[in-house]
Amino acid sequence: KTHDILINEIMSDPDPPVELPDCEYVELINRTRFPIWLNDWTFSFGNYSKTLPDVKIDPHGFLTLTKGRPLDEYGPTVDLFTSATSLSNEGTTLTLKDNEGVVIHSVTYSPEWFGDPLKSSGGWALEQIDPGNPCGCNGNWKASTDIHGGTPGKINSVYNSNPDTTIPILLRSWISGENELSLLFSESMD
């Protein structure tokens, strides 16, 4: 179901490396108590969309999407990126869809999320603070505090309770089609 698997950590600019291998990665986390198979799921970033192989994420486990095998010692990985496809240092939308095309999780990250010019210049990962708040946008992400620059394959260094306590407010509405009404809220809606 939506939000069973989350995009949990993003290393879009590994250069200069801190102590992790010099490679981009996106870490997924399984929030359920059941293994989930990702066969024919898709991961989209920028103008690219990649199909995941027949791989599973264990209950409460992690899977790291990267190029090659440099992060194998940090847990299960999938070689998904190529030299022609890479994550934008300037931010982009990352979307994970199941094999029926249903969006399971999506994040639009930005370098401003680091909150630290030193860390936004490379070598540090963005980490989700609270997987229980997957719609928390930039208020639920910040730069890793781990001495290695990130925490692929394990609980994030910034992990903490960060519930969404702000009620969404309708900012505006408009008729956007013959039988369509659009609503703009103050925060992302599920």
Side-chain angles (χ1 to χ4, degrees):
K1 299 184 299 187
T2 300
H3 300 147
D4 279 353
I5 304 289
L6 298 179
I7 297 163
N8 195 51
E9 186 169 337
I10 304 163
M11 175 66 86
S12 62
D13 185 3
D15 186 34
V18 177
E19 288 191 27
L20 290 172
D22 186 0
C23 68
E24 296 177 349
Y25 67 85
V26 172
E27 178 196 73
L28 305 178
I29 185 173
N30 179 351
R31 296 188 329 141
T32 74
R33 54 190 174 115
F34 306 101
I36 297 180
W37 292 91
L38 305 182
N39 188 34
D40 291 331
W41 285 35
T42 58
F43 179 74
S44 302
F45 52 103
N47 296 322
Y48 302 101
S49 185
K50 299 287 188 169
T51 301
L52 292 165
D54 191 12
V55 63
K56 76 170 177 166
I57 301 182
D58 290 327
H60 305 289
F62 302 94
L63 178 69
T64 305
L65 312 177
T66 189
K67 177 185 174 193
R69 309 306 287 202
L71 296 173
D72 281 355
E73 68 183 85
Y74 297 94
T77 62
V78 170
D79 182 6
L80 196 68
F81 303 137
T82 65
S83 58
T85 61
S86 64
L87 300 172
S88 170
N89 296 348
E90 302 307 314
T92 192
T93 299
L94 309 177
T95 304
L96 181 67
K97 294 182 182 178
D98 70 10
N99 57 353
E100 295 179 3
V102 174
V103 174
I104 302 302
H105 191 221
S106 184
V107 173
T108 302
Y109 69 92
S110 165
E112 286 78 35
W113 287 15
F114 284 96
D116 180 335
L118 174 69
K119 290 185 176 182
S120 66
S121 66
W124 296 89
L126 282 172
E127 296 181 348
Q128 183 173 218
I129 298 166
D130 184 356
N133 181 14
C135 298
C137 300
N138 63 328
N140 197 37
W141 289 80
K142 63 182 179 180
S144 177
T145 58
D146 189 272
I147 61 169
H148 298 97
T151 56
K154 63 182 185 178
I155 293 174
N156 290 344
S157 62
V158 299
Y159 176 83
N160 206 341
S161 177
N162 187 34
D164 182 3
T165 57
T166 306
I167 297 172
I169 298 169
L170 178 63
L171 299 176
R172 66 177 207 172
S173 63
W174 65 96
I175 297 172
S176 53
E178 186 175 319
N179 295 314
E180 200 172 276
L181 176 67
S182 294
L183 306 172
L184 177 66
F185 287 90
S186 58
E187 61 183 75
S188 296
M189 302 297 289
D190 186 358

